[in-house]
Amino acid sequence: MISRRSVALALTLALLSGPAWSASGNAVKMFDTDNDGTLDLAEVKKAASALFARLDPDRDGTLDARELRGRLTAKELAAADPDRDGTLTLDEYLAVVEQRFNAANPDKDGTLDAKELNSRAGRALLRLLR
């Protein structure tokens, strides 16, 4: 007979090993350059800058809606585009990254762990890094 404790433990392990948890844990491993188990804003901006360069194949220094596909909605792009030219420069992109970092950091400790990255705000940030 299986005890309630065994069932609870199995359920907890299943939840923790699910795709969302592992994706956030993998993000920490991938972008955590100082290997402290968390991501700080500098690490996140470094990853975002590298992605920006990969997403800008025409090397015009901006990302348009097509290049940002799946990362920002049209509404989010419009809100992040202060000059209303329909594109984001690296500085504008990093400003969105910083806003999302701060939204995912409710304890204001300056770092994000896997649990914070698994939140709604954390997943929104991760879309800007992948």
Side-chain angles (χ1 to χ4, degrees):
M1 179 136 206
I2 299 173
S3 71
R4 285 183 184 214
R5 183 173 182 198
S6 296
V7 171
L9 179 60
L11 182 57
T12 300
L13 290 173
L15 289 171
L16 291 179
S17 64
W21 182 267
S22 61
S24 59
N26 288 339
V28 171
K29 289 177 186 173
M30 188 180 320
F31 305 127
D32 180 19
T33 57
D34 63 5
N35 296 311
D36 69 351
T38 65
L39 299 181
D40 61 35
L41 185 56
E43 290 167 326
V44 168
K45 283 187 169 184
K46 180 178 179 182
S49 294
L51 178 64
F52 185 97
R54 287 193 310 273
L55 293 176
D56 186 21
D58 57 6
R59 303 288 182 241
D60 67 352
T62 64
L63 299 179
D64 59 29
R66 183 183 47 80
E67 293 166 324
L68 287 165
R69 184 180 31 241
R71 290 175 176 81
L72 293 175
T73 66
K75 185 177 179 179
E76 291 168 334
L77 173 57
D81 182 19
D83 56 7
R84 306 284 183 234
D85 67 352
T87 67
L88 295 183
T89 64
L90 176 59
D91 287 340
E92 291 167 341
Y93 189 71
L94 292 179
V96 176
V97 167
E98 186 168 350
Q99 289 170 346
R100 290 193 178 181
F101 179 93
N102 290 332
N105 188 28
D107 60 7
K108 307 288 186 229
D109 69 350
T111 62
L112 300 176
D113 58 23
K115 182 179 177 183
E116 289 168 317
L117 288 168
N118 196 38
S119 70
R120 184 178 192 159
R123 290 188 307 271
L125 172 64
L126 290 177
R127 280 195 302 276
L128 297 178
L129 303 179
R130 295 187 174 161

